[in-house]
Amino acid sequence: MAGPRTDTQGIVEARELFARVDFRRCEPAPELRPYLEHYWLIDWDLTEPYASHVVPHPCVNMVFQRFGDEPAWAEVAGIGLELFTQKLTGLGRVCGVMFRPGGFRPFAPKWPVSEWTGRRVPLADVVTGAGQSAVDAVVLPDQQDTRVAALDAFLLGLAPQADPHALHAMELVEKVRSDRSVRRVAELAAAEGVSARSLQRLFATYVGVGPKWVILRYRIHEALERAEYGDNGGCGLDWAALAAELGYSDQAHLVRDFTATVGVPPTAYARAGAA
């Protein structure tokens, strides 16, 4: 892996967020990189409350966090099916582990990943060794390298077991993310030489959502990023052309999906960002 991703896909009003918090991504230990996208660290010290919004990725996160003077705590955040909103106030810190889509199952092999979809569950209910001392070791140090080392140690201690099915699921989701020609489940299944039903079962067990959901979600992520960072802050985008590029039947279909997911039409979102 050539370092953590630098895109803002999934982050609503990314420039607003980055102006208010210290956000960065860090690489995990080499042994963990087959399963993880990256670590994401956020620190804030706000004089006024701020609500952050994220269109969730098709992946599981482990989230270690502390708000104000409250004790640190950790949870497993399954794939969110709706827009995720988090109100930030005062002082706070989050240390997150973003697994690759399909990469979480080797750390919790007793359950299909769909068990966590749409849920946020205390970390100790999912994996062993997630006591308060382990959580504090991740969240409390001020030094970034110390936090990253604690995350590495915790995850390596879970001894993830190699699973060829998890690897296959990760490869398929990466193909959906990177290959614009993948637009339908039937086409993806045919290319893999399996039935659509078999593909559905693989995704439910190892990713947590179906392949159609993944295809649609990555389309919205791309549209969201273009709306914020495209020509003239997104206001100059040719939405009909973008809809065709992303595999939508027409512009209206893209507008409906974007509005249902983000809460506002793409043109309104682009105008607000430009302003």
Side-chain angles (χ1 to χ4, degrees):
M1 187 168 68
R5 295 196 345 254
T6 59
D7 62 76
T8 63
Q9 290 189 355
I11 302 175
V12 178
E13 297 177 341
R15 285 175 290 197
E16 288 287 324
L17 176 66
F18 297 161
R20 288 169 169 80
V21 307
D22 182 10
F23 175 94
R24 60 264 192 221
R25 297 179 175 123
C26 303
E27 282 191 300
E31 303 92 321
L32 295 168
R33 293 174 195 172
Y35 309 103
L36 272 59
E37 291 272 9
H38 52 251
Y39 299 140
W40 49 276
L41 308 181
I42 303 177
D43 293 88
W44 66 89
D45 185 358
L46 300 173
T47 57
E48 296 181 355
Y50 174 72
S52 65
H53 308 281
V54 176
V55 178
H57 287 253
C59 60
V60 174
N61 285 262
M62 276 186 192
V63 188
F64 298 75
Q65 49 209 314
R66 188 184 188 190
F67 295 84
D69 295 328
E70 297 178 4
W73 54 289
E75 63 183 354
V76 169
I79 296 174
L81 301 178
E82 300 177 348
L83 185 70
F84 173 72
T85 299
Q86 176 67 63
K87 185 178 180 180
L88 307 178
T89 60
L91 279 168
R93 172 177 294 166
V94 175
C95 305
V97 181
M98 185 176 183
F99 291 84
R100 296 182 184 279
F104 181 69
R105 180 73 188 279
F107 293 82
K110 294 181 181 179
W111 303 276
V113 179
S114 57
E115 175 73 18
W116 319 117
T117 299
R119 301 175 60 200
R120 303 178 73 87
V121 183
L123 181 60
D125 292 351
V126 182
V127 299
T128 58
Q132 190 63 45
S133 60
V135 175
D136 287 346
V138 171
V139 177
L140 298 187
D142 289 329
Q143 296 79 15
Q144 174 177 301
D145 289 348
T146 304
R147 282 183 256 170
V148 169
L151 286 169
D152 283 342
F154 177 75
L155 292 168
L156 289 170
L158 298 179
Q161 300 299 309
D163 184 333
H165 297 294
L167 177 62
H168 188 208
M170 287 188 277
E171 291 173 344
L172 289 176
V173 175
E174 181 58 32
K175 182 175 183 179
V176 170
R177 177 161 64 181
S178 60
D179 187 346
R180 287 284 183 277
S181 68
V182 179
R183 299 178 176 181
R184 291 175 176 79
V185 175
E187 295 170 353
L188 180 62
E192 293 299 311
V194 299
S195 67
R197 181 168 294 184
S198 295
L199 203 62
Q200 294 279 1
R201 286 197 296 267
L202 177 70
F203 271 61
T205 303
Y206 286 91
V207 181
V209 289
K212 181 179 179 180
W213 193 95
V214 174
I215 293 170
L216 292 174
R217 181 49 51 94
Y218 280 136
R219 287 177 179 175
I220 292 299
H221 278 179
E222 179 71 18
L224 182 65
E225 190 170 46
R226 297 277 196 96
E228 182 153 7
Y229 291 102
D231 295 341
N232 191 24
C235 293
L237 276 177
D238 182 338
W239 291 101
L242 179 59
E245 179 185 337
L246 296 178
Y248 283 96
S249 56
D250 53 37
Q251 181 179 343
H253 191 184
L254 167 60
V255 171
R256 286 195 300 272
D257 273 4
F258 190 104
T259 304
T261 305
V262 181
V264 295
T267 51
Y269 179 85
R271 284 197 301 270

